[in-house]
Amino acid sequence: MKPRFDEMQASAGSVRAHYSDFDRWLQGQAPALMAARRDEAEMIFRRVGITFAVYGAKDEDGAGTERLIPFDLIPRIIPSDEWLTMQQGLAQRVTALNRFLHDVYHSQDILKAGIVPAEQVLHNAQFRPEMMGVDLPGQIYSHISGIDIVRAAQPDGRGTYYVLEDNLRVPSGVSYMLENRKMMMRLFPELFAQHQVAPVAHYPDLLLETLRAMAPPSVNEPTVVVLTPGMHNSAYFEHAFLAQQMGVELVEGQDLFVKDQLVYMRTTQGPRRVDVVYRRVDDDFLDPKAFRPDSSLGCAGLLDVYRKGNISLCNAIGTGVADDKSIYPYVPKMIEFYLGERPILENVPTYLCREADDLKYVLANLGELVVKEVHGAGGYGMLVGPASTQAEIERFRLQLLTRPSNYIAQPTLALSTTPTFVEAGIAPRHIDLRPFVLSGKSVQTVPGGLTRVALKEGSLVVNSSQGGGTKDTWVLEA
């Protein structure tokens, strides 16, 4: 049996020190009161419209369906010393990833050195040749990064943090981090009087500061907008929320146009120049002249303006080449290559199915591994061996044999658990954490992030699209 690590419960049923005050409070809460608070939270979230669209799901009228992301009342608590180490590791990792992105679109030193195979970058679907030689403010490509972190038990019972994946294109979820905190403060204000919880409410201010800092050098008072694909996108609530919180315009592609190598938005007072776009639209749809001609989500001619340095896009075009799962195994080597440092946060051991020996091992151990598509996201296109039927495993085996380079595999980690308020009462459920790292004139991370929880007993899949929920994440101040 694999060892387990619970964030709150230590061995022999004792409670970890940083949870002790919360545990005493929790022991005094009647289950009926907790259930009433959960119902209140659901009612408020629904009234505010905090939902996400489920791709492929239709209601009885054939329209797309929207769901609440279930919210759990029991927070995930991180002590200050653990957070400090994690924060340092996140800054180190994102700095190296930005160095890598600048390098592969310029001198390609890491490819020439043979540290990252050139074909994995240059033949990657996310590599954008259009970005070769384009100089960006601060040489920063991923201004907003969502780094997924898990903790797994070691044989001696300790828990070790691992980076599960890097999200550098259009990472989502920060609005739920902010709304979860507001909800906990509303439902249980007494808890925040008893605990010194580091704040997260200033994230929109930090985000706006980061975006403004990336404006073209000639612009003193930049105009920032949030570019959304529209209200049918699964993260539209977040797009609208962040625009409102920052006090900037939320725009769609049809609101923008290019004239004289500048980008403008249409307003009731006439055209207004745009200097920075926080874009929540994928590369392929940003500019129908440069990428997909059938896209109605972007702005024709945007790439030309971008290449001339007359507008900044956050995140940059082409960042996806660094968060592809086939590139992930090389991030520790990037840290050593660019920074001359040992990685603070470890990678999960990873098998590259394009390598003959790795593929042989994966095929022989499919029932014990997690296999992922290198371009997959949202919990789709993956096999969790221990939770799969033999028929599912055999179907995946055929896919692996057909396109081995399309997959990586990792051991099935015993993800840490936290107590979670479910229908049957309080029970342990597996979790991960997505901190949000902002890279501008400096690298900043608000304390905590979005904790996602797998609400199904035994499940390791925390994604909201797969039935997962979220928790408030508390970092205790020293």
Side-chain angles (χ1 to χ4, degrees), residues 24 49 73 87 92-93 100 104 137 193 197 202-203 215 224 271 292 300 318 334 345 357 385 395 420 431 467:
R24 281 191 291 273
L73 301 175
Q87 189 177 36
Q92 179 195 59
R93 189 175 183 98
F100 170 74
V104 299
V197 181
H202 59 299
Y203 176 86
V224 177
R292 285 185 52 159
M334 291 178 200
L345 294 172
D357 288 346
R395 279 199 299 273
T420 302
I431 56 169

Side-chain angles (χ1 to χ4, degrees), residues 139-371:
Q139 300 183 359
I140 297 171
Y141 287 71
S142 183
H143 311 86
I144 303 99
S145 308
I147 310 298
D148 290 348
I149 293 179
V150 296
R151 177 139 66 171
Q154 303 303 304
D156 62 2
R158 293 180 303 110
T160 299
Y161 286 113
Y162 294 94
V163 174
L164 188 63
E165 64 181 48
D166 306 293
N167 299 280
L168 309 178
R169 285 173 257 185
V170 283
S172 63
V174 75
S175 60
Y176 301 106
M177 173 189 82
L178 297 170
E179 289 293 329
N180 287 351
R181 175 61 54 84
K182 284 169 60 178
M183 183 61 69
M184 285 296 289
M185 294 180 79
R186 175 177 180 147
L187 296 178
F188 307 113
E190 71 276 13
L191 279 174
F192 292 88
Q194 298 169 14
H195 296 80
Q196 288 187 299
V197 181
V200 296
H202 59 299
Y203 176 86
D205 295 331
L206 294 181
L207 175 59
L208 182 58
E209 173 189 299
T210 299
L211 297 172
R212 288 172 63 89
M214 291 299 103
S218 60
V219 178
N220 293 322
E221 290 296 326
T223 296
V224 177
V225 300
V226 177
L227 175 61
T228 177
M231 63 183 299
H232 298 295
N233 183 266
S234 63
Y236 180 74
F237 164 79
E238 176 158 297
H239 307 164
F241 174 87
L242 289 175
Q244 186 269 331
Q245 291 289 306
M246 289 190 290
V248 304
E249 294 294 333
L250 178 70
V251 300
E252 297 183 27
Q254 63 191 2
D255 301 319
L256 303 177
F257 67 93
V258 169
K259 182 180 179 183
D260 299 330
Q261 295 300 315
L262 297 173
V263 175
Y264 294 87
M265 65 173 162
R266 296 177 173 89
T267 77
T268 53
Q269 286 80 40
R272 182 179 177 186
R273 180 179 168 182
V274 174
D275 306 297
V276 182
V277 177
Y278 176 25
R279 55 99 172 200
R280 301 298 295 261
V281 174
D282 290 337
D283 286 358
D284 284 342
F285 301 96
L286 271 176
D287 182 348
K289 284 181 64 177
F291 302 115
R292 285 185 52 159
D294 60 339
S295 172
S296 60
L297 304 179
C299 171
L302 179 63
L303 179 64
D304 286 341
V305 181
Y306 185 46
R307 286 169 56 87
K308 287 185 180 297
N310 291 340
I311 195 165
S312 295
L313 301 179
C314 302
N315 287 342
I317 293 172
T319 54
V321 72
D323 73 6
D324 187 282
K325 293 181 178 66
S326 67
I327 299 298
Y328 161 90
Y330 300 102
V331 177
K333 293 180 179 179
M334 291 178 200
I335 292 170
E336 295 180 18
F337 183 78
Y338 295 115
L339 307 181
E341 299 169 358
R342 295 286 301 164
I344 297 170
L345 294 172
E346 297 183 49
N347 265 24
V348 178
T350 303
Y351 301 96
L352 304 172
C353 296
R354 66 172 181 272
E355 304 285 350
D357 288 346
D358 282 9
L359 178 61
K360 183 178 179 182
Y361 177 84
V362 171
L363 290 171
N365 295 275
L366 272 178
E368 302 169 15
L369 300 171
V370 176
V371 186

Side-chain angles (χ1 to χ4, degrees), residues 100 110-121 327 330 334:
F100 170 74
I110 201 166
L111 307 187
K112 294 170 185 173
I115 292 169
V116 177
E119 67 273 11
Q120 289 304 310
V121 173
I327 299 298
Y330 300 102
M334 291 178 200

Side-chain angles (χ1 to χ4, degrees), residues 88-100:
Q88 292 169 342
L90 290 166
Q92 179 195 59
R93 189 175 183 98
V94 170
T95 299
L97 284 163
N98 272 311
R99 294 272 191 94
F100 170 74

Side-chain angles (χ1 to χ4, degrees), residues 50-100:
I50 305 176
T51 61
F52 73 102
V54 185
Y55 289 126
K58 303 289 184 183
D59 62 20
E60 59 187 12
D61 297 320
T65 62
E66 291 197 348
R67 299 178 189 164
L68 287 176
I69 297 180
F71 169 67
D72 183 55
L73 301 175
I74 301 179
R76 189 253 185 91
I77 304 178
I78 301 172
S80 59
D81 58 333
E82 285 185 12
W83 173 250
L84 179 61
T85 301
M86 194 187 304
Q87 189 177 36
Q88 292 169 342
L90 290 166
Q92 179 195 59
R93 189 175 183 98
V94 170
T95 299
L97 284 163
N98 272 311
R99 294 272 191 94
F100 170 74

